[in-house]
Amino acid sequence: GNVFQLVQKIEEISFPESVHRVAEILGINITELKIVARDEQERKELKRWIKAIKAMQVHEFEEFHPIGDAKRVTKFKDFKPETIEKFGLFFFDKFYGFNKSGEPFESNERLAFPINNNGKLIGMSLRATKAHQVPKWLHQPSMIKVAELLYNYDNAIGQSEVTVVEGITDVWAYDEIGVIAVCTYGAKVTDEQKRMLLQLGCKLNFSFDGDEAGIKANQQAFDLFHYTSDIAFTKMPMGSDPGSLPREELKQIYGGRK
């Protein structure tokens, strides 16, 4: 058989639906193609589909150049200095950005976590350092859609197993116990993030926070991936998340994933 027959069997869908499903995973737009039954027309359409694959271009993000006085952070919570150095962390006394309407704004005293794609800085996630600051998180540039990204995705490519978490510092915590992780920027896997995870072609371990939102996210992950991927779950104790746990405890819990 072939990949289309495999998808047909796993998802119990028709051949035309399987072609569109594979295209979705690969990130190819074939909405204008008409996939029909197994006949001469099918072969012609598949030739067009293959041509579309060859013509596929990876979306290129523009390099981001932050405006403001950035200071490199060397100490943050209980993370190791080498972890902070690896992922990068900065502090802005004043950060100058633009909102979605193109209007300039100024934000004070924020931590900045770099967002990289294909080895290039494409944005920053700015975290409030004061309780009164709203919103808690700002993502710049304003047009960047973190729901269509996975933090640390570059390092996940080619791995045999990747852990999926909610937040940036959860990725850091797992890195400190030798586990490659990506974060979804929240307690949900979006359609684009699902496609990116499937493209990795590896075992997926989900480790969302130990709260109501995290429980729902784990259930959603099961519903999305239990037919298409080898999956496991590392369930956090209630009221905790990977980034808040002592590393030895996190390592022990991770060892019991199932």
Side-chain angles (χ1 to χ4, degrees), residues 54-198:
K54 292 180 178 179
M56 180 179 63
Q57 294 184 344
V58 178
H59 176 65
E60 283 291 332
F61 293 92
E62 292 186 5
E63 188 167 0
F64 179 63
H65 300 282
I67 303 173
D69 183 18
K71 300 175 183 176
R72 183 174 286 276
V73 176
T74 58
K75 186 176 181 180
F76 180 63
K77 296 185 177 181
D78 60 347
F79 289 102
K80 298 176 182 177
E82 52 265 38
T83 302
I84 300 172
E85 176 69 24
K86 175 180 179 178
F87 290 101
L89 180 61
F90 300 87
F91 178 80
F92 283 87
D93 283 318
K94 293 184 183 295
F95 179 90
Y96 301 94
F98 296 89
N99 62 27
K100 293 182 179 179
S101 299
E103 299 172 342
F105 73 88
E106 176 185 313
S107 187
N108 302 324
E109 299 182 312
R110 283 186 178 265
L111 290 169
F113 297 81
I115 303 174
N116 297 299
N117 181 269
N118 291 326
K120 179 170 62 178
L121 179 68
I122 63 168
M124 282 186 161
S125 292
L126 299 152
R127 188 186 187 282
T129 58
K130 308 291 184 182
H132 67 272
Q133 290 176 304
V134 290
K136 182 178 180 179
W137 287 95
L138 279 173
H139 304 292
Q140 287 287 303
S142 58
M143 71 284 292
I144 198 167
K145 299 178 180 178
V146 293
E148 296 180 1
L149 298 171
L150 289 167
Y151 177 81
N152 199 41
Y153 189 74
D154 284 2
N155 291 324
I157 296 172
Q159 300 295 324
S160 59
E161 180 176 340
V162 171
T163 292
V164 183
V165 296
E166 289 185 37
I168 292 172
T169 54
D170 297 331
V171 172
W172 291 22
Y174 267 111
D175 188 81
E176 291 192 339
I177 65 169
V179 174
I180 298 295
V182 296
C183 99
T184 56
Y185 297 96
K188 182 181 180 181
V189 177
T190 66
D191 290 342
E192 178 61 15
Q193 290 169 344
K194 175 186 177 183
R195 185 191 69 78
M196 293 173 69
L197 290 170
L198 289 174

Side-chain angles (χ1 to χ4, degrees), residues 40-54:
E40 183 62 27
Q41 181 63 27
E42 172 204 317
R43 287 189 285 274
K44 290 180 181 178
E45 294 292 351
L46 281 178
K47 286 181 180 179
R48 290 181 63 192
W49 190 85
I50 293 171
K51 186 178 181 180
I53 290 180
K54 292 180 178 179

